[in-house]
Amino acid sequence: MSELRRGYLFGIGAYTLWGFFPLYIRVLLPAGAVEILAHRVVWSVAFVALLLTLVRRWRFLRELARRPGRLAGICLASALIAVNWGMYIYGINSEHVVETALGYFIGPLVMVLLGVVALRERLNPAQWTAVGIGTLAVAVLTIDYGRLPFIALTLAASFGGYSLVKKRLALPAAEGLLVESAALALPALAYLAWLTARGDSTFGQGAGHTALLIVAGAATATPLLLFAGAANRVPMTGIGILQYIAPILQLGCGVLIFHEPMPPARLAGFALVWLALVVFTVDGLRTARRRTPEREPALAG
């Protein structure tokens, strides 16, 4: 199997797992969103620490300790991903799976705007058109919901900011996840201890439920590691297309499995988002073709 095909399989695996993640979050009820988030942080640290021990890749901690500026960046990334994870879990458990899908659909457009604001990048007419259509979509959805789609906007903004910080830090996937989770581990453990002292913790209430909470670490790390394998083998244009797998599956979970409503106005808002993404993706593919002097090799078995 070629490395390119292997990379696409890794990418499809990562985004498929992320797409069906709402099903896993729902079976963690009656645990609340913050309790699930805290367990996700704690068990991620444990899982990735075990993984790094097995492959003997702890040397990076010494290098990181010599760079306090990088540690500050990691703390910022930790805060952003905590907001993203927490809002995502809240959205699923409050029966807003469709809105969480919307957040990841508009994510690429938010990242383009962050590039303009933070990196002084310039947009071409097609990109501005996509952003304009996306803005109109948010307006339509605001009218439909009777409020700003704050879950979707928070997910898109927090993940966009997280991606921007991660781009500047350039940490490997496993090492990055370990340090980011470790920065949140003490507050997470303190919250779980407080919850247990109050008698409100769901941990230990049934072997199956407890096992599912522990599995949160592996469930968090596995798709991220698969994504890292894809990012090292697949062109950015390919990654850009693969990223739509997750919100499509999340939308399917919300509408077909959890039976969340999709009235005509909401469907129109989503249609505008999809139109913006088509404009954005087609422009990205054209740009990539102009910059690549040779065609990409065909997939080989």
Side-chain angles (χ1 to χ4, degrees), residues 111-128 131 280 283 287 291:
M111 290 179 72
V112 167
L113 287 176
L114 285 173
V116 173
V117 174
L119 303 178
R120 307 294 183 184
E121 294 177 353
R122 293 184 178 181
L123 302 187
N124 61 37
Q127 290 170 324
W128 277 119
V131 171
F280 180 73
D283 175 71
T287 302
R291 291 178 178 175

Side-chain angles (χ1 to χ4, degrees), residues 52-240:
L52 292 177
T53 299
L54 292 175
V55 298
R56 299 179 180 179
R57 283 166 55 180
W58 285 98
R59 186 179 301 175
F60 78 99
L61 284 178
R62 290 198 300 269
E63 300 171 0
L64 194 61
R66 303 189 194 105
R67 304 178 67 177
R70 213 174 194 196
L71 286 173
I74 290 171
C75 290
L76 176 58
S78 300
L80 289 168
I81 201 61
V83 170
N84 185 268
W85 287 355
M87 185 58 71
Y88 181 69
I89 296 166
Y90 167 78
I92 292 169
N93 284 350
S94 62
E95 300 183 352
H96 289 91
V97 177
V98 169
E99 192 174 343
T100 66
L102 173 64
Y104 291 108
F105 274 125
I106 66 176
L109 303 176
V110 171
M111 290 179 72
V112 167
L113 287 176
L114 285 173
V116 173
V117 174
L119 303 178
R120 307 294 183 184
E121 294 177 353
R122 293 184 178 181
L123 302 187
N124 61 37
Q127 290 170 324
W128 277 119
T129 300
V131 171
I133 296 172
T135 303
L136 177 61
V138 171
V140 170
L141 290 164
T142 298
I143 295 171
D144 173 65
Y145 281 114
R147 57 169 175 79
L148 273 174
F150 70 91
I151 294 175
L153 293 175
T154 302
L155 287 173
S158 59
F159 193 76
Y162 172 75
S163 300
L164 180 63
V165 174
K166 289 282 285 184
K167 179 180 177 65
R168 293 185 170 180
L169 291 173
L171 285 174
E175 289 87 337
L177 178 61
L178 174 68
V179 180
E180 291 159 18
S181 299
L184 300 169
L186 284 179
L189 284 170
Y191 176 78
L192 291 175
W194 174 77
L195 206 62
T196 301
R198 288 186 47 175
D200 293 331
S201 173
T202 65
F203 189 78
Q205 295 183 5
H209 179 71
T210 300
L212 285 169
L213 286 173
I214 294 173
V215 168
T220 297
T222 300
L224 183 63
L225 296 174
L226 287 173
F227 174 77
N232 291 333
R233 294 172 174 87
V234 178
M236 286 304 296
T237 51
I239 293 293

